[in-house]
Every structure is written in C-alpha cells, then in structure tokens.
Amino acid sequence: MQTNSSSAPASPHVLIFPLPLQGTVNSMLKLAEILCISDINVTFVVTDHIHSRLLRNSNVVSRFSKYPGFVLQSISDGLPKEHPRGGSRYIEMFESMKLNSKPLLKELLTSGWLDRGRGPVTCIIADGVMSFVCDVANDIGVNIFCTRTLSACSLSIFFSLPKLIEAGELPFTGGDLDTPIKSVPAMEKFLRRRDLPSFCRSDTLSGPSIQLFKNENQENARAQGLILNTFEDIEGPVLENIRAFCPNLYTIGPLHAHLKMKLAAKSCYTASSNSLRKEDRSCMSWLDSQACKSVIYVSFGSIATMTKDQLMEFWCGLVNSECKFLWVIRPDLIAGDGEIPEEVLEGTKERGYIVGWAPQEEVLGHQSVGGFLTHSGWNSTLESVVEGVPMICWPYFMDQQVNSRFVSEVWKLGLDMKDTCDRVIVERMVKDLMVKRKDEFLKSADRMANLAMKSLSEGGSSYSNLERLIQDIKTISVVHKEAKKQQ
Ligand code: UDP
C-alpha cells in the first residue's frame, strides 16, 4: 500500500527501512524529514502492521504532505495480524521478515513503482540488524548505509561479543552479576556482568538473541557507512571501538533535536507525533498546573512489561516519596492479563496523573518535569539528555542494561536501579533525584544538554556529520545514475 503521490523532479532518492518498533520508526522518521528538507526524495518503508498504527495514531501523512518527494510505503512482515511482534517473540518477527519481506522489498526496488517522478532509488538506509536488506542492496547494485538506533555503548558491546567469548567472559554461570567485564574497550573500569545486554545472562551461547546480535552485527561492515543516533561528546571513547569495525561513521544525533533545529531555522517547527499509540494530551494541562521541576515523569517505553507486584512496588514508592508524578501505564504494561489495580487509580489522584500514552518529547520539555523514571531505552535517554532532565533507570532488556550504567557511572546523569524493584528503594531514589541531590544532577544534566545542542549547531560534530552524509548521498546518486545510463 502506498500513501502520498509524488511529482517531484528527479534528485537523490533514498529508501529508508527501519526496524518495525516504536523507537526506531520514530527516530528514522526524524531522519527522513531531515533528508526531505535537504531536497532528497525519500521512500519510507514500514510493515503493514506499523503502517496501519501510524495512520491511526500519528500525523505523519499530513505532516509529510508538504514534501512532494516523500512516499510512505508498506510491505508485509509475513506474520498473522494477531501476532504480538514484540516482547519475547520479537525473534519470530526477524525470522519472518527475512523470509517474507526480503523478496517483497526486492520486488519493490526492481519493479519501477517507486521511480515515477522521483527517479530510481539511489541508496538505501536500513537498520543494520536486518542484514537481509544488505543482501538485497548488493543483489541489485544499490549502495546501502546501515543505521542503528540504539546507543553506541551497547553497539560497541555487540561488536565485542566474539572478543568476550574468546576471553572466556561469555557465557557465564552462577549468580555473581557484579563480576567485572574486561574485554570491551573503553569500559574496563566500570562494566559488570549485570550491565551487559540482558541476553548475555545465559550459560549458553546458543540463545537466538546472542546469535542474532553476534552474527548480524558483523554484517554492518558490508555497508557504505554506519549512521548512529548519538553525538561525539557523549559517546566519544566507545565510538573509537566501533570505528575499528565501521570506519565510515556518521554520528548525527540526537536526531529529534536535530530535526527540531532544522525546522526552527526555516521557521516551520510544530510539535510532531510519530506515535503508534493514541497520545493522551490531557497530561499537558495537568503539568501546566504543577510547580517548576516538581514532577517526576515515569515511563517504561513501548515494549517493557512488569508484573502486578512490581507495579505496586513502583506505585507505593512513588506515593511514599511525596513527589508529584506523571505515569504512563500502557494497557499492555502489566504482563499477562493484569489490570491496573483500582487502588492505584484511586490513590494516585492526590499526587499523580496516569495516562496510557504521553506526548513524551513535549512532556520532557515541560518546565514542571524535574526527573524521569525510565526503562533506559535509547530514544528516551536522548530525549531526557536534550531537555536536561536527570534520570532514575530501571532497564528492562537489550541495550538498556548498559545505557543505565552509562547514565549513572559515566555521565553522572542519575541513578541506576537495575535488578531491584522495591518500594523502599524507589522512594529513596525519587527523593534523592528530586530533592536531596537535585542540584548536583541538574548541573550535570544541564552540562550534557549544552553539549548536545553544541553538537547540532553549525560546525558541531553532528551538524558536520549530517552535512557529510547528505553530500555523500548526493554524490552516490550522481554516480548511480551515470552507471545506469551506461548499462
Ligand atoms: N514514547 C512516547 N510516549 C510514551 C512513551 C514513549 O511518545 O508515553 C516514545 C518516546 O518518546 C520514545 C519512544 O516512544 O521516542 C520509545 O523509544 P525507546 O527507545 O526509549 O524505548 P522502546 O520503546 O524502544 O523500548
């Protein structure tokens, strides 16, 4: 299914294919809009499942209608409608896409459907964990840039997995998660077993996640370059390790703030939504009535789940902290068939506000928000960094375990609560972040926010790397078209 039609003149034409998840679709749509602003035609390919959710809950179609070179295209992931496509079954999605989406993508690229008015696709930008897209690009002779929308610190660990195995640090048995890990460059001083991606907590190497990330990661080196949603000042030392595998690195983040700056420069910034769920904006007026930096925002992203008992620990800890809180409780946050207990809804009225999904970027930018209790997803982390909001981290899986270690130990932007879920600890940490150590955390958060903005300003690292990426896309397009003419 295709949304939007196009009559733009032929210029570079990029096909973007993100991983079908909220965080990746969100950040890749930001990149798509940045490219559109730079007069590059973009075909944004999503799975049918993501497509229908975007149409239902976001303003993507109306927002992009001002870019005639943009097309939103969907293809099947091969899974039945009712498949959850997340949680513990995300591996099934990878497998199905490899089998079913790969031929569809190839057909899309070779059929000529996408060319009308915009010329042929001259390069592809796809998530580097979907190496089948690299195969398609190689088969049809189109250049490909890989992108990874998680942190460089987690990516650096993925690249180091063979080294960890060789050094005997993986797999490990036994319960001592505080054992130091020494084989990841630039992390020797603070990394522990418990900070490794969650799939490393296994006494075998045969698990599907570890295999996926060990093998697919090495494929990134086949691409023209690797695009990362990060900035040099925050992850400089670990980026050096990644450059050893992928020398042509484009660090162009934080993407959401980068887009905001580009739009502001054209005086056309309006708050945008790439939400796959319906946003409840009533929380914005609730925030308007709260004191400056008095509210802790609580959200565990789009995938994480918890038990009803864990939810009660968070709730009691939040209430006992006596701080105001805004809490995103997705309908599917409680694992199994748990419902939000009545006492949580009732007891929250005095001090808190609950929504099913929030306009998060706006919430974090609101003057009443002074802290973020987060699952440490990379998009959430960057959104908090940009707004100078300190964090309490309760990582759920994958890259979140290492992100939370960097937040607390390296960047000093907050506290890491990983592997505990106890009302007393929640209460203590909320009080520490919002009251006792408030000035200390706000100072370092403010410093990091300034570094982020510096990287996006003219001459900054992310600004310059984006210019270089755009230039490279344009050069590739000329070469591609010349080569096609001579065939
Ligand atoms: N998000 C949102 N509203 C919410 C919760 C999350 O808009 O109520 C957005 C958030 O701004 C972020 C994305 O969902 O861009 C979550 O991505 P992240 O990488 O943080 O975590 P994931 O959902 O992939 O675990």
Side-chain angles (χ1 to χ4, degrees):
M1 181 180 176
Q2 199 176 53
T3 316
N4 274 15
S5 65
S6 151
S7 57
S11 58
H13 183 172
V14 178
L15 180 141
I16 301 183
F17 191 21
L19 208 55
L21 298 171
Q22 171 70 79
T24 44
V25 168
N26 189 9
S27 55
M28 284 303 99
L29 275 167
K30 309 276 180 189
L31 177 60
E33 193 163 356
I34 290 174
L35 296 184
C36 288
I37 293 171
S38 313
D39 294 324
I40 292 174
N41 296 318
V42 175
T43 296
F44 197 84
V45 180
V46 288
T47 58
D48 294 337
H49 178 73
I50 295 286
H51 188 247
S52 62
R53 293 179 72 191
L54 271 178
L55 294 191
R56 234 178 306 135
N57 300 306
S58 78
N59 61 2
V60 166
V61 172
S62 62
R63 210 169 75 240
F64 277 86
S65 61
K66 60 176 177 282
Y67 304 112
F70 179 85
V71 164
L72 180 64
Q73 177 74 39
S74 81
I75 57 175
S76 168
D77 60 12
L79 290 169
K81 232 180 177 164
E82 63 283 0
H83 191 284
R85 294 169 167 80
S88 56
R89 295 183 63 189
Y90 75 95
I91 291 283
E92 291 168 32
M93 192 174 70
F94 276 105
E95 293 306 323
S96 178
M97 286 178 73
K98 212 183 275 186
L99 211 66
N100 299 291
S101 309
K102 183 178 172 178
L104 293 175
L105 183 69
K106 191 166 178 182
E107 193 188 331
L108 192 65
L109 279 156
T110 49
S111 64
W113 296 340
L114 300 175
D115 304 3
R116 273 168 279 158
R118 302 182 304 160
V121 169
T122 50
C123 85
I124 296 173
I125 297 178
D127 201 292
V129 80
M130 301 190 292
S131 67
F132 69 84
V133 187
C134 277
D135 297 337
V136 172
N138 287 347
D139 280 358
I140 61 170
V142 172
N143 279 289
I144 179 162
F145 293 90
C146 281
T147 177
R148 302 303 289 270
T149 52
L150 28 73
S151 58
C153 52
S154 61
L155 198 56
S156 179
I157 295 180
F158 296 162
F159 276 116
S160 302
L161 287 173
K163 221 169 150 187
L164 282 158
I165 294 165
E166 204 183 310
E169 296 197 281
L170 272 186
F172 56 79
T173 46
D176 187 8
L177 292 174
D178 287 322
T179 304
I181 292 288
K182 297 289 181 191
S183 318
V184 186
M187 299 187 204
E188 300 87 345
K189 292 202 176 113
F190 53 85
L191 201 70
R192 305 159 300 175
R193 283 178 176 172
R194 72 170 74 250
D195 308 315
L196 291 172
S198 52
F199 58 72
C200 293
R201 293 187 190 187
S202 167
D203 56 8
T204 163
L205 293 175
S206 59
S209 293
I210 200 160
Q211 286 304 321
L212 176 77
F213 284 94
K214 187 163 85 50
N215 301 333
E216 301 277 305
N217 230 49
Q218 314 306 322
E219 301 283 336
N220 287 207
R222 286 201 288 162
Q224 185 86 19
L226 180 61
I227 303 168
L228 293 182
N229 187 11
T230 189
F231 57 104
E232 297 287 329
D233 276 333
I234 198 169
E235 297 201 277
V238 298
L239 287 167
E240 288 316 307
N241 185 35
I242 297 175
R243 284 195 173 94
F245 298 89
C246 303
N248 191 23
L249 214 54
Y250 302 89
T251 49
I252 58 171
L255 274 166
H256 71 288
H258 213 152
L259 172 63
K260 215 173 187 175
M261 270 204 162
K262 298 271 177 226
L263 290 172
K266 288 180 168 280
S267 309
C268 57
Y269 176 72
T270 45
S272 63
S273 161
N274 298 323
S275 273
L276 302 177
R277 295 164 191 265
K278 188 118 214 98
E279 287 174 351
D280 182 346
R281 296 192 57 84
S282 66
C283 57
M284 298 310 291
S285 12
W286 181 81
L287 283 174
D288 287 344
S289 64
Q290 307 302 321
C292 186
K293 296 209 187 297
S294 66
V295 176
I296 181 150
Y297 170 61
V298 186
S299 168
F300 302 102
S302 62
I303 304 166
T305 58
M306 61 177 66
T307 63
K308 210 177 217 173
D309 287 347
Q310 287 173 323
L311 184 108
M312 289 309 287
E313 292 304 310
F314 277 114
W315 180 64
C316 291
L318 285 165
V319 170
N320 295 343
S321 75
E322 298 186 351
C323 279
K324 294 284 182 87
F325 60 92
L326 167 61
W327 192 354
V328 177
I329 304 187
R330 300 184 331 259
D332 56 348
L333 177 67
I334 307 174
D337 54 2
E339 278 183 10
I340 311 174
E342 197 50 43
E343 64 215 277
V344 171
L345 294 172
E346 263 310 299
T348 297
K349 283 185 181 149
E350 195 188 325
R351 214 167 272 128
Y353 199 84
I354 293 176
V355 290
W357 192 251
Q360 181 165 301
E361 267 181 62
E362 281 181 73
V363 165
L364 286 167
H366 196 284
Q367 57 166 5
S368 300
V369 173
F372 184 12
L373 171 48
T374 170
H375 70 307
S376 296
W378 186 236
N379 291 287
S380 296
T381 305
L382 282 179
E383 288 158 14
S384 209
V385 162
V386 165
E387 300 299 343
V389 176
M391 289 164 261
I392 298 174
C393 307
W394 191 68
Y396 174 68
F397 78 157
M398 296 293 280
D399 60 321
Q400 298 155 16
Q401 264 77 16
V402 63
N403 298 345
S404 66
R405 187 64 170 166
F406 271 73
V407 165
S408 63
E409 281 307 299
V410 183
W411 306 322
K412 313 281 184 204
L413 298 176
L415 302 162
D416 189 1
M417 212 181 94
K418 74 159 68 80
D419 298 326
T420 66
C421 189
D422 177 302
R423 63 190 66 189
V424 178
I425 296 176
V426 174
E427 178 189 343
R428 178 168 47 78
M429 287 200 171
V430 173
K431 281 179 172 162
D432 276 352
L433 195 86
M434 301 295 288
V435 186
K436 277 195 204 152
R437 299 175 63 189
K438 179 179 179 173
D439 292 344
E440 168 196 336
F441 285 128
L442 280 177
K443 201 171 151 197
S444 38
D446 202 39
R447 188 184 143 266
M448 194 58 91
N450 286 332
L451 288 174
M453 295 325 276
K454 204 178 100 199
S455 78
L456 302 176
S457 310
E458 197 166 347
S461 57
S462 293
Y463 179 97
S464 309
N465 284 333
L466 178 64
E467 294 282 294
R468 183 165 62 85
L469 175 65
I470 289 168
Q471 196 46 54
D472 290 349
I473 288 173
K474 289 184 173 168
T475 308
I476 282 170
S477 159
V478 174
V479 174
H480 183 87
K481 282 176 185 163
E482 282 304 314
K484 287 277 162 203
K485 257 193 242 159
Q486 282 165 19
Q487 273 172 14

